[in-house]
């Protein structure tokens, strides 16, 4: 075969495969039969292998009917996906209405309110009654097509009862229950939990493996028809959409007075925790479509709608006392003891005050009435003092502690630090905290050693550091109060079993400064064993992705200071044998010890790729050298691709990398 005909065969083959892929994924109408598809892929691969100069990173020859997409195509929104302005209370809503009515003189509009579901926006395109594309908001002008993933949403019609061509928009979300199930599953796999249902939904939608998306249960609430409506009001339009089978954001309410909206807002706020999904407010919209047109848009949001948000939830209660918590590193944290009060669905009786500077900033005194707030996160904080409630009474100042509540040592405050800390490493509270941390679920996971037992063990002198757990015998344990033969045996067995916990858990348990769960995992994957960590220099630590100079120094110090690492050494002497890192998904061997460089624009965010590669054992570095094993290329790769060719580095596109990472 001549060179030119090989080239044209390769090019034609690629085009045919690309068309077939598009047809397969987007139209669900196969262009090629399975056998034909495989044969063509095989042929293309052979030609590319034989003629390296014809290789192309982007060739579908490397795409072997993947269960996963290699990337999401992008699509421009015909009508931009805007955001909403926000107001946080009824007074602000009135101001919003005042400026709206200036644009609509003489009108007394009817408002529609909907729940503001906390998820992410999606545009759905139907052609001739069929769902043909689902596009994320992206930057508002261009989004990503996640059609296959959206099609796993069971409540969404793939086919309408009439052959309509239209675009609707809505919110993709998780129910609170599904969200917590998802996170439990992730924790079991050692994957980081999603912070909130919104992040979880976003993460799921951007998963390339549709089968995985299908196992999760996303929902959609439709709140808008973007193409022309056959009706004059939004309420009628949404009713019509509901009749076509769309899941509509429920319940819609119509109001002609803001007072009524105010009551509904308070009522909704009060029952928000009883809903199956998370909401962060109401959306208030003009109902009449003609009025919307007259009100128009700003560059960022419609003038005819606004989000009436709940904001952080607040409650008022009394500060009864300030307790001092001693952390495992000796930090003394002031903790507010409060008269119990309901806040965001739970009863709160304690809140962190962070540090003494914060107390001074708040002007907080014992006995004060305080405002507590619970925002998006779980931990309540004290945000202000109700000064009027003091009524001339004089309350006691809250002063920094003169001694550690546990050991009585005088606290120190280092220059440049906000915290006071107890400098005594033998401080019982610190000891207890260190052991508590060591046995905790995210470390050695020794459940039967609870806080009460730790207190007893320390008090009786049986244990001084976590390493001493591995010396415990049945007899002295049985002699402890409330400890029978059976529970003593259980405790001993649990401690014994912990000896072979994964290296990352052990590393986390050691309590090295700045080394949390995630860093421990990164370290375990990178170094693989304690001896390797002990042999590492400061620079070796710094060269690990995600590890900064301060942590690198702390790590080096820990492994080289006999005093700091004493308990660790004792653990090892007493039979702890951390298991080498486990790699989820069975991709273990795939990239263990390999070095990967990423270049070009990828379908999934680069950080996501990096994380995935590292989980499979790879080290991700920034530049290509002879030591690089793989170059992962996206669209418009730069000079790294040339460098890879020069060094003979294997070049993979996203699909090929997915393939490599798949469990075999
Ligand atoms: S209407 C032109 N209605 O909130 C914007 N948005 O903060 C039209 N959202 O991007 C949006 N529930 O993702 C609308 N009932 C609802 C909503 C809703 C949630 C989201 C949506 C929007 C964001 C703005």
């Amino acid at each position: 075969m001549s060179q030119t005909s090989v080239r044209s065969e390769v090019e034609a083959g690629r085009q045919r495969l690309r068309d077939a892929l598009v047809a397969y994924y987007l139209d669900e109408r196969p262009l090629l039969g399975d056998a034909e598809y495989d044969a063509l892929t095989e042929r293309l691969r052979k030609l590319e292998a034989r003629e390296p100069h014809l290789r192309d990173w982007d060739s579908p020859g490397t795409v072997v009917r993947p269960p996963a997409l290699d990337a999401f195509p992008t699509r421009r929104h015909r009508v931009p996906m805007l955001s909403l302005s926000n107001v946080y209370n009824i007074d602000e809503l009135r101001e919003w209405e005042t400026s709206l009515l200036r644009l609509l003189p003489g009108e007394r509009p009817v408002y529609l309110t909907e729940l503001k579901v906390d998820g992410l926006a999606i545009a759905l395109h139907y052609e001739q009654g069929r769902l043909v594309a689902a596009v994320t908001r992206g930057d508002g002008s261009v989004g990503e097509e996640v059609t296959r993933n959206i099609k796993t949403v069971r409540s969404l019609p793939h086919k309408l009862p009439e052959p309509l061509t239209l675009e609707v928009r809505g919110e993709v979300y998780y129910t609170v229950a599904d969200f917590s199930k998802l996170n439990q599953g992730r924790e079991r796999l050692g994957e980081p939990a999603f912070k909130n249902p919104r992040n979880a939904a976003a993460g799921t939608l951007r998963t390339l493996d549709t089968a995985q998306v299908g196992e999760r249960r996303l929902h959609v609430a439709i709140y808008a028809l973007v193409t022309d409506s056959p009706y004059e009001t939004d309420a009628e339009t949404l009713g019509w959409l509901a009749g076509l089978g769309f899941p509509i954001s429920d319940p819609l309410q119509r109001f002609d007075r803001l007072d009524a909206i105010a009551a509904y807002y308070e009522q909704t706020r009060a029952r928000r925790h009883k809903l199956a999904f998370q909401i962060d407010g109401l959306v208030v919209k003009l109902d009449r479509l003609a009025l919307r047109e007259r009100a128009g848009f700003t560059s960022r949001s419609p003038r005819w709608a606004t989000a009436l948000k709940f904001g952080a939830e607040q409650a008022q209660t009394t500060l009864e006392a300030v307790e001092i918590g001693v952390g495992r590193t000796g930090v003394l944290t002031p903790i507010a003891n409060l008269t119990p009060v309901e806040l965001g669905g739970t009863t709160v009786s304690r809140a962190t005050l962070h540090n003494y500077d914060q107390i001074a900033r708040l002007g907080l005194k014992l006995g004060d009435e305080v405002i507590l707030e619970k925002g998006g996160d779980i931990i309540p904080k004290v945000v202000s003092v109700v000064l009027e409630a003091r009524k001339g009474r004089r309350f006691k100042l809250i002063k920094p502690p003169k001694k550690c509540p546990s050991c009585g040592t005088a606290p120190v405050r280092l220059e440049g630090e906000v915290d006071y800390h107890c400098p005594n490493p033998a401080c019982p509270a610190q000891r207890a905290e260190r052991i508590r941390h060591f046995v905790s679920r995210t470390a050695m996971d020794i459940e039967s050693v609870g806080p009460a037992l730790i207190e007893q063990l320390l008090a009786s002198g049986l244990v001084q550091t976590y390493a001493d757990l591995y010396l415990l015998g049945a007899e002295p344990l049985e002699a402890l109060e409330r400890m029978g033969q059976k529970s003593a045996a259980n405790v001993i067995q649990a401690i014994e079993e912990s000896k072979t916990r994964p290296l990352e858990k052990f590393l986390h348990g050691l309590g090295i400064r700045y080394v949390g769960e995630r860093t421990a995992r990164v370290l375990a994957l990178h170094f693989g064993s304690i001896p390797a960590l002990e042999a590492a220099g400061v620079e070796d630590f710094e060269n690990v992705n995600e590890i900064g100079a301060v942590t690198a120094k702390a790590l080096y110090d820990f492994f080289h200071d006999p005093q700091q690492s004493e308990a660790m050494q004792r653990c090892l002497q007493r039979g702890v044998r951390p298991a080498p890192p486990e790699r989820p998904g069975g991709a273990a061997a795939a990239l263990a010890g390999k070095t990967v460089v990423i270049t070009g624009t990828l379908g999934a965010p680069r950080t996501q790729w990096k994380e995935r590669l590292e989980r499979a054992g790879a080290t991700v570095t920034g530049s290509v050298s002879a030591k690089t094993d793989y170059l992962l290329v996206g669209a418009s790769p730069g000079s790294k691709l040339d460098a890879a060719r020069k060094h003979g580095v294997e070049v993979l596109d996203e699909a090929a990398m997915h393939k490599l990472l798949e469990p075999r």
Side-chain angles (χ1 to χ4, degrees), residues 445-471:
D445 195 14
I446 315 178
E447 206 181 325
S448 49
V449 180
L453 178 57
I454 294 174
E455 291 299 326
Q456 279 178 294
L457 290 171
L458 281 167
S460 63
L462 281 173
V463 160
Q464 302 206 330
T465 72
Y466 50 72
D468 299 338
L469 293 172
Y470 296 103
L471 286 180

Side-chain angles (χ1 to χ4, degrees), residues 84-197:
L84 286 172
S85 60
N86 294 318
V87 296
Y88 289 89
N89 51 53
I90 294 299
D91 287 342
E92 289 179 11
L93 186 67
R94 284 187 207 289
E95 288 168 23
W96 169 80
E97 186 190 43
T98 307
S99 47
L100 175 65
L101 293 184
R102 246 180 257 133
L103 301 169
L104 307 170
E107 295 289 344
R108 293 225 29 222
V110 170
Y111 297 102
L112 191 66
T113 67
E114 294 161 7
L115 300 179
K116 188 168 188 310
V117 181
D118 196 11
L120 68 155
I122 191 87
L124 302 169
H125 297 264
Y126 286 78
E127 275 171 26
Q128 301 298 317
R130 303 191 69 99
L131 175 59
V132 293
V135 190
T136 62
R137 166 139 138 202
D139 64 2
S141 310
V142 177
E144 283 181 311
E145 279 211 33
V146 290
T147 316
R148 278 215 303 170
N149 287 350
I150 280 294
K151 284 188 173 175
T152 67
V153 177
R154 291 172 184 73
S155 54
L156 200 67
H158 291 193
K159 191 164 179 280
L160 304 178
E162 298 165 46
L164 297 159
T165 293
L166 49 82
E167 178 186 348
V168 293
R169 289 182 184 171
E171 199 81 352
V172 183
Y173 66 94
Y174 269 116
T175 63
V176 175
D178 285 343
F179 169 68
S180 62
K181 252 186 256 156
L182 172 66
N183 265 350
Q184 283 163 14
R186 284 175 72 84
E187 276 176 20
R188 247 178 273 125
L189 291 174
E191 291 172 6
F194 287 115
K195 252 178 77 187
N196 52 45

Side-chain angles (χ1 to χ4, degrees), residues 33 38 106 131 157 188 201 287 315 332 367 439 462 561 565 582 659:
D38 292 343
L131 175 59
R188 247 178 273 125
D287 190 27
L332 303 179
V439 300
L462 281 173
D561 175 356
S565 54
E582 255 179 56
K659 192 78 201 157

Side-chain angles (χ1 to χ4, degrees), residues 630-658:
Y630 298 105
L631 179 70
L632 171 61
V633 276
S636 343
S639 59
K640 287 179 192 169
L641 183 56
D642 301 328
R645 290 197 171 129
K646 198 177 102 202
H647 291 292
V649 171
E650 190 165 341
V651 176
L652 299 176
D653 65 2
E654 284 179 278
M657 187 58 88
H658 276 300

Side-chain angles (χ1 to χ4, degrees), residues 29 50 78 173 261 270 275 294 338 380 427 517 560 562 565 588:
R29 144 178 74 81
R50 212 177 62 202
R78 240 175 306 161
Y173 66 94
I261 295 184
L275 294 173
R294 279 169 58 196
L338 308 157
C427 167
E517 223 181 323
H560 286 82
S565 54

